[in-house]
Amino acid sequence: MDPLVEVLDRNMEAMADVAVGYLIQIGLKYDIFKELVLGVSREKLIASVPLPNKERLGRLIDTYLQLGIAEESGGSLRIAEFSYELPLARERLEKLLPDWIPILEEMYKMVDYAFISREHPKVLMDFDKGADFWDMRLLLGINRVYRQLASRLLGLEDGMRIIDLGCGSVSPVELGSAVGPNGKYVGIDFSPGLLSIATTRVRNEGLDWVTLREMDVRRLVVRNTYDGVVMSFLLGYLENPGAVVRKAIEMLSPGARLVILDSFRDLTPKVAALEFFESLTKEFVRFPSAGEILAAVDESPYDVEASVIGNSTIVVTRVL
């Protein structure tokens, strides 16, 4: 297996494990587990916990149920026989990139403010109002790894034409540099805040072949084909990710590849813990499953082949 795939997968697994630990801290902090030990109806539990944002509290309870921390029977919620372990095997630790830990810790702190109001100014997960926080996330080592992996899987080199759906603020420089100056990079994102940061970087680097467009990928009209298409951690923000995957396949030239990088819910253990924190962003829906993405690929009218690499990567190739 590609070493970058292993690094990406091991870090995503560790992030989910640490996120579970934070969810347990929340339950202890607000005495939620004391209520669950006794057994309580969902309505009574939500009413008894003194947190204003009941929708967020309900989502926390749903997450406990998904993770097996709590169980529901006969209309009553109870604590489950749940044990928590954080594996520290050497082969795993050697691949961990520690810079995501402070970011996850900040998201854990934001939850307290989200329990007051989703719109609390200290919840910095809005793509525009919190663009600087998102940019910090996109500069993390783990995100650099998935961009390097995308570049490797696409075989990026000078002269290629690629399109990046949900490009954010960093990929336009890192992936754009790989295809220039004789190629073309098109970055699509719906966040003007992140695109503003990206535009400044692109201008400072003199990447004249990089084009950035503010657009919702769901409304993208296919007019050109490309040597490669990238979608990195985009699909969790779409109600119908399969539709965008099929549109991305339509943009592939014969022999070209689509690289999809994401936390696939059927391949990533404890992914529900990550979803709870990512849902601080109002646009977040849920992480996709690899199964639903492969089903969308099968529905494409084009002759394509798909392969799952590790737990976080799908490559779709349009056959010549």
Side-chain angles (χ1 to χ4, degrees):
M1 183 182 293
D2 190 309
L4 291 175
V5 173
E6 289 193 75
V7 171
L8 180 59
D9 287 352
R10 297 297 83 76
N11 277 271
M12 294 306 301
E13 291 168 2
M15 287 175 68
D17 285 336
V18 173
V20 172
Y22 282 136
L23 290 174
I24 292 172
Q25 289 187 57
I26 294 170
L28 293 170
K29 184 192 306 185
Y30 295 110
D31 280 343
I32 296 171
F33 293 154
K34 286 184 179 179
E35 296 285 342
L36 290 174
V37 166
L38 299 173
V40 64
S41 70
R42 182 186 183 94
E43 293 75 17
K44 185 176 180 181
L45 178 59
I46 290 176
S48 65
V49 178
L51 294 171
N53 189 342
K54 299 302 184 181
E55 182 276 333
R56 172 59 42 180
L57 180 57
R59 181 145 196 161
L60 176 65
I61 295 168
D62 290 338
T63 303
Y64 286 155
L65 290 168
Q66 291 174 53
L67 291 169
I69 295 174
E71 58 189 10
E72 188 171 15
S73 178
S76 179
L77 295 168
R78 293 185 179 275
I79 199 75
E81 293 295 326
F82 179 83
S83 61
Y84 174 65
E85 297 180 356
L86 185 63
L88 295 176
R90 177 178 177 180
E91 60 271 18
R92 189 189 202 196
L93 288 172
E94 288 176 340
K95 296 178 175 63
L96 293 189
L97 304 169
D99 60 354
W100 55 261
I101 295 172
I103 295 293
L104 189 54
E105 183 177 7
E106 285 302 312
M107 292 168 68
Y108 165 68
K109 293 176 182 176
M110 290 179 197
V111 169
D112 276 339
Y113 297 107
F115 277 137
I116 299 171
S117 168
R118 187 177 197 166
E119 305 303 323
H120 195 285
K122 290 192 177 181
V123 179
L124 304 176
M125 295 290 284
D126 185 273
F127 284 114
D128 289 318
K129 295 177 183 177
D132 288 338
F133 180 75
W134 273 100
D135 185 55
M136 288 172 59
R137 291 187 67 183
L138 293 170
L139 287 168
L140 294 177
I142 187 173
N143 296 325
R144 188 172 299 111
V145 165
Y146 76 62
R147 289 189 292 269
Q148 291 171 344
L149 178 58
S151 180
R152 183 179 295 180
L153 291 172
L154 290 174
L156 295 188
E157 61 184 8
D158 185 18
M160 291 182 67
R161 302 174 70 256
I162 68 168
I163 186 166
D164 189 349
L165 304 181
C167 64
S169 57
V170 181
S171 291
V173 169
E174 293 192 3
L175 299 185
S177 296
V179 300
N182 298 304
K184 184 175 182 61
Y185 170 98
V186 179
I188 304 294
D189 205 292
F190 84 107
S191 167
L194 289 176
L195 287 177
S196 176
I197 296 172
T199 298
T200 298
R201 289 188 174 128
V202 166
R203 186 185 303 119
N204 290 342
E205 294 292 329
L207 307 182
D208 297 336
W209 57 92
V210 170
T211 300
L212 300 176
R213 296 176 182 166
E214 182 184 335
M215 187 183 302
D216 187 327
V217 295
R218 294 170 296 185
R219 296 180 175 85
L220 186 64
V221 177
V222 179
R223 294 191 175 93
N224 300 297
T225 58
Y226 298 85
D227 302 315
V229 181
V230 182
M231 290 194 295
S232 50
F233 295 89
L234 165 72
L235 299 179
Y237 299 90
L238 304 174
E239 288 284 356
N240 186 359
V244 177
V245 168
R246 289 189 293 273
K247 189 173 292 187
I249 291 172
E250 188 178 347
M251 290 187 280
L252 293 175
S253 300
R257 284 181 163 186
L258 160 66
V259 172
I260 304 171
L261 300 147
D262 225 306
S263 295
F264 298 111
R265 60 185 306 103
D266 49 349
L267 301 178
T268 307
K270 306 181 184 72
V271 71
L274 290 177
E275 288 184 323
F276 178 77
F277 291 100
E278 293 297 347
S279 67
L280 292 171
T281 304
K282 63 179 181 296
E283 291 86 2
F284 184 80
V285 180
R286 64 180 179 86
F287 288 120
S289 71
E292 69 179 308
I293 300 309
L294 294 176
V297 173
D298 287 340
E299 293 169 2
S300 170
Y302 297 93
D303 189 3
V304 292
E305 296 176 349
S307 59
V308 179
I309 305 174
N311 298 334
S312 310
T313 309
I314 294 177
V315 177
V316 181
T317 304
R318 183 172 175 184
V319 179
L320 292 171

